[in-house]
Amino acid sequence: MMMTRSITRLLTLTLGLLLFAQAQAGQEDFGDYQVHWSVFPSTFLDPEVARANNLQRSRGIGIINISIMTEGEHGQIRPVGGQVQGQVTNDIQQVNFLAFRRIQEGDAVYFIAQYQYRSGDLMTFNITARPTGHNRDLPVRFSHTLFND
């Protein structure tokens, strides 16, 4: 029960963070599927939420959140399971692979990874999502700069 409330708070916090200038959110459409993402500094997390979800909260650590979505029969967008993998590259072309964890709460499914960054570095993300039962990868590439608070 405590973990469920913590994950709900994490989702709520993540959505709320999108209002901050530093947080970035986006999506890419692949016909039947969409890949949604958000990126933000781990220090935006409430310490209790970070602890409950085994996330390190520290300056210089960012969080990337990926969701795979599809349109239901009545036009509503709903999350689907699958696999997500990727890497992040900094300004000087150092590549780090992202270790995504799948989190599911009720119908919500999302994938979270943490990565290190230096304040002001342009980080380029290369993500590949594959919905369950789908035989094609959904590649997403985007860049973002985070600053320490």
Side-chain angles (χ1 to χ4, degrees), residues 18-119:
L18 300 179
L19 301 175
F20 287 95
Q22 265 205 79
Q24 175 189 348
Q27 72 179 53
E28 191 159 330
D29 194 339
F30 294 91
D32 291 342
Y33 296 96
Q34 297 172 358
V35 176
H36 294 242
W37 67 83
S38 61
V39 177
F40 54 93
S42 64
T43 54
F44 280 13
L45 290 174
D46 179 79
E48 182 181 314
V49 171
R51 210 173 14 260
N53 290 285
N54 198 27
L55 295 169
Q56 188 174 357
R57 187 178 177 277
S58 177
R59 290 174 55 133
I61 294 181
I63 295 178
I64 178 169
N65 180 0
I66 301 289
S67 295
I68 306 169
M69 310 294 276
T70 191
E71 189 173 315
E73 64 182 63
H74 299 294
Q76 78 282 11
I77 300 296
R78 63 178 182 82
V80 296
Q83 296 178 337
V84 175
Q85 61 185 18
Q87 60 189 35
V88 60
T89 307
N90 66 11
D91 283 342
I92 59 172
Q93 302 305 307
Q94 292 173 316
V95 177
N96 287 306
F97 291 91
L98 298 166
F100 283 95
R101 291 187 305 161
R102 181 179 192 259
I103 297 176
Q104 182 164 358
E105 180 184 283
D107 292 336
V109 179
Y110 52 100
F111 303 85
I112 290 184
Q114 293 191 288
Y115 65 95
Q116 292 185 342
Y117 70 92
R118 283 190 332 200
S119 185

Side-chain angles (χ1 to χ4, degrees), residues 117-133:
Y117 70 92
R118 283 190 332 200
S119 185
D121 272 359
L122 178 68
M123 305 299 284
T124 301
F125 297 86
N126 287 295
I127 307 299
T128 302
R130 180 176 283 195
T132 300

